[in-house]
Each structure stands twice: as structure tokens, then as C-alpha cells.
Amino acid sequence: MKNKMGFTLQEGEAQPSRCPDNSAFKQQKLPAWKPQLTIATVLSSFFLIGAFCLSVGICLILSSNSIREIQIDYTDKCSDCSKLRENTSNWNKECYCSANFTLKEDILGDVFMYYGLQNFYQNHRRYVISRSDAQLLGRNVNIQKSYCAPFTTYRNGTPMAPCGAVANSMFNDTIDLFYNINSSVIQVPLLKTGNSWWTDKNVKFRNPKSHNLSSAFAGTARPPYWQKPVYLLDEEDERNNGYINEDFIVWMRVSAFATFRNLYRRLGRIRQFKDGLPAGNYTFHISYNFPVTKFKGRKQVILSTVVWSGGRNPFLGIAYVVSGATATLTGFVITAIHLKLRKKKTYFQR
């Protein structure tokens, strides 16, 4: 005779038991904590969570509102340069424009300059993966086997450095800030380095090993939309060139949304700017190289301070307030239901 598991049993032989062993572990008899959900613990949990979320949310909103921020949209102010850049054959022609603004009050503390883009989608899968991380580490790799296509090589076989759609579309406007005081113009000192993540600067990006950068990138060519090769991105600081150029590193960290801003410069706290930006008249001088009209985009330059919670972003504070209000409201609803049911129970018991 065979049992259900296919084992042959002799007559009179007992069928083996399929129950787990009679041990504390297998019979789930080990000591364990079982929460007792009484009305007092449930209500206190909802009200405590609500109070915590509301307090954190209000603090985040107040800190975000305390940030000083100036946004200048220069899309229309530079319309002539935009028309020039729509024709790719004009890549080697320089075009400059300017945007004026006035600070009515001093902006004290550290001041950060961002560039902002609208309607520029970096979250398409083909765009995001269009890069070669091995190439960006300075390795000698065959980029034909990477995801960089169609931005891998030119028709004559010269490889692009760096390759890929992300690198090719790098934001390359040059923005300088000038302070107008007493009929004189003073250039505001802006720092180019120290603006990227430490892990990006020291781990994810490396230049090819060579005695100089020009020889390291010999046999390669700039991406089609660039005005200069990768080893000349910063002609003033040779340590800020190649794949470790901080403008390039910041751009290569793609955004999840179509409207975003990237850190571009930091204010150098020296001379009359040691306390921040003084009130007065300012001018942005822009070397226009990045066209946005074809995809109906817009460009901004932003000056902003930061607080303990970061830059201006009210979303997190609003999310905490909504969560706290929802938890508190749920607590009141449960309280009302409990009182109503308790009243009915008392009535029927009588």
C-alpha cells in the first residue's frame, strides 16, 4: 500500500506524520510581543503622528519661505541669439546677450547660482542610458559596444569623447554676473569648483592617464553640439578639465522631471561680497550657446540662498502638513465613532 507521498507501507505500519516537530521554534511557541490594540493606543498613535508631521511640516515650510531667491528668465531677452543657434552651422559664431535686475535688499550669507530649464525631458530611457560609464572612468574602451549610439563616432571613424546623448546635450551657456555701482562695473567672483557631489568627483569620473590632457584625448573629437573639446572646458583652471570638469559632472546627473535646476556657481565671499550680495543693480552677461526654442523650452538663471533643509522646495513641508492633518482628522473620526458605539452599547445594556 502506498501513502499520498508515494512511500510503500507495510501492513500494520503507521503512516508517518507530516506535522512539524514538537519544538518551541517549529510550533511557534517562542516568546513574542503581541500589540494590544486598544482604543487608547490607537487614538494616541494617530494624534502623536499627526502632531509630529504637522510640526515638522510647518518648520519646513517656514524655513523654505525664509530663503531669498531671484529668478531671471532670459529666453526672450536672448531671442536673437536663439535664432542664430537654431542653425547648427553657426556653432562657431559667438553670440552675447544680457539681463538686468535690481536687488532692493542685501542677500546675506552664501549665495548659489543655478541655471534652470523648462520642458527639457531627461527621463527618457534611451536618453538616460546613452552614456559610457567605463569611458567616463578614463578607461580605453570600445564605445561601439556601449549604449552611446548614435553619438559614438563620426563618419570618418573618429570616436567622440565623451560619447552619448546626455553628454552631447550638455548645457553650455556661459553666465557672468556684474555689479553696477557708482558708474563702475565690478565682476562678481563666482566659484566653479566644489559644486558637484563628492562621490561623482572622486569616484565616478576620471581622466585618462597621460602626461597632459591633450595627448590623453588624442584621436578623439568633441560631441557634435559642443563648441570646444573636453580637455578645454575650463581654460582658466587645468585641474577642472576633461571628464572631471564640474559643469560636466553636474549635467551628467540627469533629472527626473522636465523642469529642473542645476547648480552652476557659488558666490566667492571676498572684498565687498564677503557678507553676500549687496543691494543694487546687477547684470547677467550670457554667452548664448544652448538653444531651447525647438522643444519649446525656457531658460532661467537663479540666485538663491540655502537653509538647514536645503534650497527652496515647499513640497516636502506641504506633504508633511497634509499627512499630519490626515492623521489628526482620522483620530477625531475614530473618536467620534467610538463614542457613538459606546453610547449605543450603554443604551442597550440598560
Side-chain angles (χ1 to χ4, degrees):
M1 182 177 72
K2 292 186 178 181
N3 62 3
K4 292 181 180 180
M5 300 181 67
F7 295 106
T8 303
L9 299 176
Q10 302 294 333
E11 265 189 54
E13 186 178 351
Q15 184 173 352
S17 174
R18 299 176 63 186
C19 295
D21 296 337
N22 189 19
S23 63
F25 177 75
K26 292 188 177 181
Q27 294 297 335
Q28 299 183 10
K29 295 179 180 179
L30 293 174
W33 176 72
K34 296 181 181 179
Q36 300 297 325
L37 297 179
T38 63
I39 188 65
T41 56
V42 170
L43 289 179
S44 61
S45 298
F46 273 104
F47 286 123
L48 286 174
I49 293 172
F52 172 77
C53 290
L54 284 173
S55 59
V56 172
I58 292 172
C59 291
L60 288 173
I61 291 175
L62 291 176
S63 66
S64 179
N65 290 337
S66 67
I67 293 175
R68 296 287 308 280
E69 185 172 290
I70 303 293
Q71 294 188 17
I72 306 294
D73 190 313
Y74 64 95
T75 310
D76 299 329
K77 299 177 189 276
C78 300
S79 56
D80 293 337
C81 290
S82 179
K83 292 178 182 178
L84 178 71
R85 288 287 176 254
E86 287 180 359
N87 187 350
T88 56
S89 62
N90 296 325
W91 66 270
N92 58 344
K93 296 181 180 180
E94 296 183 351
C95 190
Y96 298 93
C97 57
S98 61
N100 302 318
F101 68 98
T102 301
L103 285 182
K104 296 182 180 180
E105 298 179 357
D106 296 347
I107 299 182
L108 302 178
D110 294 327
V111 181
F112 299 84
M113 180 188 291
Y114 302 83
Y115 61 84
L117 292 176
Q118 295 181 9
N119 206 37
F120 189 94
Y121 290 85
Q122 289 188 309
N123 54 7
H124 193 282
R125 180 178 178 275
R126 289 286 301 275
Y127 178 88
V128 172
I129 66 175
S130 184
R131 57 190 290 167
S132 173
D133 291 321
Q135 183 195 44
L136 298 176
L137 284 171
R139 300 172 183 170
N140 186 14
V141 295
N142 183 9
I143 59 175
Q144 293 284 5
K145 297 181 180 180
S146 67
Y147 293 104
C148 287
F151 301 102
T152 52
T153 60
Y154 287 92
R155 292 182 179 179
N156 60 0
T158 304
M160 299 180 189
C163 70
V166 184
N168 182 60
S169 61
M170 174 183 167
F171 181 87
N172 55 357
D173 283 358
T174 301
I175 305 172
D176 295 314
L177 181 60
F178 292 88
Y179 179 42
N180 308 315
I181 180 173
N182 299 330
S183 67
S184 61
V185 179
I186 302 174
Q187 185 169 4
V188 178
L190 299 174
L191 304 177
K192 300 180 181 180
T193 57
N195 302 323
S196 62
W197 290 25
W198 185 91
T199 51
D200 289 349
K201 179 76 173 180
N202 297 279
V203 178
K204 294 184 178 181
F205 293 84
R206 286 282 187 275
N207 282 327
K209 294 182 179 179
S210 182
H211 62 280
N212 61 61
L213 277 182
S214 59
S215 61
F217 289 99
T220 64
R222 59 175 177 81
Y225 289 174
W226 285 26
Q227 278 74 39
K228 56 182 71 173
V230 66
Y231 55 88
L232 291 178
L233 288 178
D234 188 353
E235 299 181 12
E236 298 176 358
D237 186 359
E238 61 180 9
R239 296 171 299 177
N240 190 35
N241 266 316
Y243 296 146
I244 59 173
N245 175 266
E246 298 218 13
D247 290 340
F248 174 68
I249 292 175
V250 170
W251 177 259
M252 294 300 289
R253 183 172 284 276
V254 297
S255 174
F257 301 100
T259 299
F260 62 93
R261 62 176 65 177
N262 284 337
L263 182 58
Y264 182 66
R265 296 289 185 267
R266 292 179 296 121
L267 175 66
R269 303 280 295 275
I270 57 174
R271 299 191 298 274
Q272 61 263 55
F273 305 103
K274 63 181 180 179
D275 296 324
L277 285 178
N281 298 320
Y282 290 85
T283 302
F284 283 118
H285 284 189
I286 302 161
S287 175
Y288 197 102
N289 297 307
F290 193 87
V292 295
T293 53
K294 286 188 177 181
F295 55 88
K296 298 180 181 179
R298 301 195 70 83
K299 294 193 292 186
Q300 294 176 330
V301 57
I302 302 124
L303 294 174
S304 176
T305 59
V306 296
V307 291
W308 60 272
S309 58
R312 172 169 288 183
N313 184 10
F315 173 78
L316 187 59
I318 294 172
Y320 267 103
V321 169
V322 171
S323 301
T326 303
T328 305
L329 180 62
T330 304
F332 281 116
V333 170
I334 294 175
T335 303
I337 294 173
H338 170 68
L339 294 176
K340 185 176 181 180
L341 293 177
R342 188 175 65 174
K343 186 177 180 180
K344 281 186 177 182
K345 185 177 181 181
T346 304
Y347 175 78
F348 284 117
Q349 284 178 349
R350 289 180 181 179

